[in-house]
Amino acid sequence: MKKLTYQIKKRTSLLSLIGSLLFSFTAFAADVTIEQGYIRATIPGTNVSSAYMEIKNTTNEDIVLIGATSKVSDRIEIHEHVMSGEMMRMQQREALTIAANDQVVLQPSGYHLMIFNLAEPLKVNDNVELTLQFSNKRDISISLPVQSIKRKKQKETAHHHHH
Ligand SMILES: [Cu+2]
């Protein structure tokens, strides 16, 4: 009985040793890139907006987005759209994990950064500085252009042929 306990302990410590070795080999280089980012122009009469982007994680570790800050707002939340019956509604997420060597797309009707309490309207061609906060305490600052709401319908009607 004593022998068995010893063996188990030995195996556990060996595993944790291997684990910590693997951990230390993993690169911590800031191979996290933000692409295709933009912020929606404010709809007149409102003081909210949303930010969209692709977050690419080329590290071998999952990273976790836990929030964002900006001078233009004191309240930015991570949101997602979920179906509630037949209605699409937004709900807040505490965090958003970008798996190792993977990417997450923040886009209309999906994940987005919800920006509340805008002191001033965001106008097309403005640029907004945003700092993304990750659980590993590595912040990433980005500058996002303000764009008007993209209208898919206009793109679709552009398929008409003109001879
Ligand atoms: Cu939202």
Side-chain angles (χ1 to χ4, degrees):
M1 227 17 208
K2 256 189 178 173
K3 201 182 174 191
L4 185 64
T5 315
Y6 173 71
Q7 281 182 336
I8 289 169
K9 269 190 183 162
K10 197 176 175 187
R11 191 166 291 175
T12 308
S13 62
L14 185 62
L15 277 176
S16 67
L17 178 65
I18 292 170
S20 59
L21 278 175
L22 283 175
F23 189 75
S24 60
F25 276 126
T26 312
F28 265 98
D31 291 320
V32 177
T33 55
I34 315 295
E35 294 170 18
Q36 313 283 339
Y38 69 98
I39 293 188
R40 254 156 66 153
T42 322
I43 297 166
T46 71
N47 65 346
V48 297
S49 180
S50 351
Y52 308 105
M53 66 199 73
E54 293 176 17
I55 305 175
K56 284 188 183 163
N57 176 16
T58 57
T59 71
N60 294 320
E61 305 207 351
D62 294 359
I63 56 167
V64 183
L65 179 70
I66 53 170
T69 57
S70 175
K71 277 181 192 166
V72 302
S73 167
D74 58 4
R75 185 180 158 210
I76 300 177
E77 295 177 355
I78 302 166
H79 276 200
E80 66 183 332
H81 276 95
V82 291
M83 289 304 287
S84 160
E86 304 221 321
M87 295 281 287
M88 187 99 110
R89 64 179 179 82
M90 295 191 294
Q91 80 183 16
Q92 189 181 0
R93 285 179 67 104
E94 289 299 309
L96 185 56
T97 299
I98 300 103
N101 297 302
D102 202 354
Q103 63 174 330
V104 168
V105 180
L106 282 69
Q107 61 191 343
S109 302
Y111 298 124
H112 55 279
L113 292 176
M114 192 87 193
I115 304 165
F116 295 93
N117 304 339
L118 285 163
E120 289 180 28
L122 302 178
K123 298 190 193 81
V124 174
N125 294 331
D126 282 356
N127 277 286
V128 175
E129 303 278 335
L130 209 68
T131 300
L132 305 178
Q133 300 170 313
F134 293 91
S135 60
N136 63 1
K137 303 226 176 2
R138 280 178 173 274
D139 291 352
I140 297 179
S141 290
I142 48 174
S143 178
L144 299 180
V146 177
Q147 296 182 3
S148 59
I149 299 165
K150 286 182 178 169
R151 295 177 198 279
K152 270 188 187 166
K153 276 179 187 171
Q154 283 183 354
K155 266 189 183 170
E156 281 161 16
T157 53
H159 284 294
H160 286 296
H161 289 281
H162 294 279
H163 297 284

